[in-house]
Amino acid sequence: MTRPTARVLALLEILQAGGTRTVADLADRLGVDERTVRRYIGHLIDLDVPVRSVRGRYGGYRLAPGYRMPPLMLTDEEALAVLLGVVAGRRAGLVTTSVAAAESAAAKVRRVLPEALGRRLDALLATADFTAPARPVVIPETSVLLMLAEAARDRRPVAVSYTAWKGRRSERTVHPYGIVAHSGRWYVTGADSSSGEVRTFRLDRIETATVLPGSFEVPSGFDPAARVLSGLAGVPYLHEVSLRVQGTVEQVRHRLPPGLATVRELPAEPAEGAAGDTAEKADRMPEEGEGGGWVRVQLRAERLEWVPSVLAWLDLPFVIEYPDALRDHVRALARRLASCADAE
C-alpha cells in the first residue's frame, strides 16, 4: 500500500478488529514510522471516527464503542443485501424509524458505493416491483424495541407504560418471552403482572419501558410467534363466529390467513344444519366420505360480509354454529356466484 488514503483505511480496519493497539504495533503493521501513525490517527478523528488514546505502559489506540458507525467497505453482494433489506423492511412496515430515516440510510450507503456498482443497484431499485402491496408503517420507539429485545434475551423483567386499544392506560411489569413481527407491526409476548397470564402487547402502544432487577424463566417449549397469532385471533370484535369444518387442523390452518382464527380438532359426530360455499351445500348435510374428521373454527369480525369468501376459499364442507345472520351472507354469495357462472 503506497497511497496514504489506503493506509488510513487499513489502519481503520486494524482498529475495528477490537482491543487496544500500540503505536509500535500499528507502525509495524502499516510499514510506516510512529509519527506517521499518529498523523493517520488524526485523519480518522477529523472524519469523526471515534478513536480513543489509552495512556500507560501498554497504551495505544482503540475505537470507542458506539457513538457513530465507522465507514463501511462492502462487496457487491453485501451492498445489495443492505439496500434490499432497507427497501423490503420499509415495504413490510417493519422499519422502527421514520420513512425519511430509512430513505436517508439507503442514500448514504448508495453514495459511498463505487460508481459502476451504484448505477447497477439504481437500475434494480428503479425497475423492481413487488407482488405484495406496501404496508402502512406503524413505528414503535426504536429504544423500546431494542430494550425489550435485550431484556428478552437476558431474561430481565421490564416495567412498561401501555395504552390499550380502547385508550385505557396502565402501568405493568412484563416478563418478555420474545419479540415478534407480524403484518407490519412489532409485538412482545410474555407474562403480565396485571393479569398473571401470558399476554401480547403492541410495541407502538408502549410509551416507556424500564428494565428491572431480577430474572425469570421462559416456559419450556414456548413459541412466541404462535402465541402472538393465537392472541390476535382472540381480539374482541363485534361478531363472534363459530363453525365446524370437515377436514384436519393442518388443512384448515393452511388455508386461513395467520392470526385470523383459532382451530381445534373435534371428536367425530354427525353434522347438522350444514351450510357451504354454494346454495346446494347450504341446504344439505355433508355426505359421509366427503372428508376426514371435523374441526371447530372460531373467529371474530367487525363485519360478516367478508366471512363467506373465506369459507369459499376453504373449499371444505362446513356447518355454521353461530351467528345465524352469517347464513344469509353465505346464501347471498352463493347466488352471486351462480349468477356469474350462468351469465353469457
Side-chain angles (χ1 to χ4, degrees), residues 180-229:
V180 178
H182 172 68
S183 295
R185 291 190 173 97
W186 288 94
Y187 298 86
V188 59
T189 183
D192 171 36
S193 63
S194 297
S195 64
E197 301 174 350
V198 175
R199 298 282 302 277
T200 296
F201 303 96
R202 275 176 47 177
L203 261 64
D204 58 294
R205 290 178 175 166
I206 296 177
E207 298 178 10
T208 61
T210 305
V211 177
L212 301 176
S215 62
F216 60 86
E217 294 296 328
V218 178
S220 177
F222 184 82
D223 186 339
R227 182 61 184 83
V228 167
L229 291 177

Side-chain angles (χ1 to χ4, degrees), residues 322-337:
Y322 57 81
D324 287 338
L326 180 58
R327 303 179 191 278
D328 295 333
H329 290 289
V330 171
R331 294 189 180 99
L333 176 61
R335 288 193 293 269
R336 291 196 300 272
L337 293 175

Side-chain angles (χ1 to χ4, degrees), residues 15 18 20 35 40 87 147 161 187 209 225 238 306 319 327:
L15 294 176
T20 300
R35 183 177 179 181
Y40 290 168
V87 173
M147 179 182 297
S161 299
Y187 298 86
L238 181 61
W306 59 266
V319 175
R327 303 179 191 278

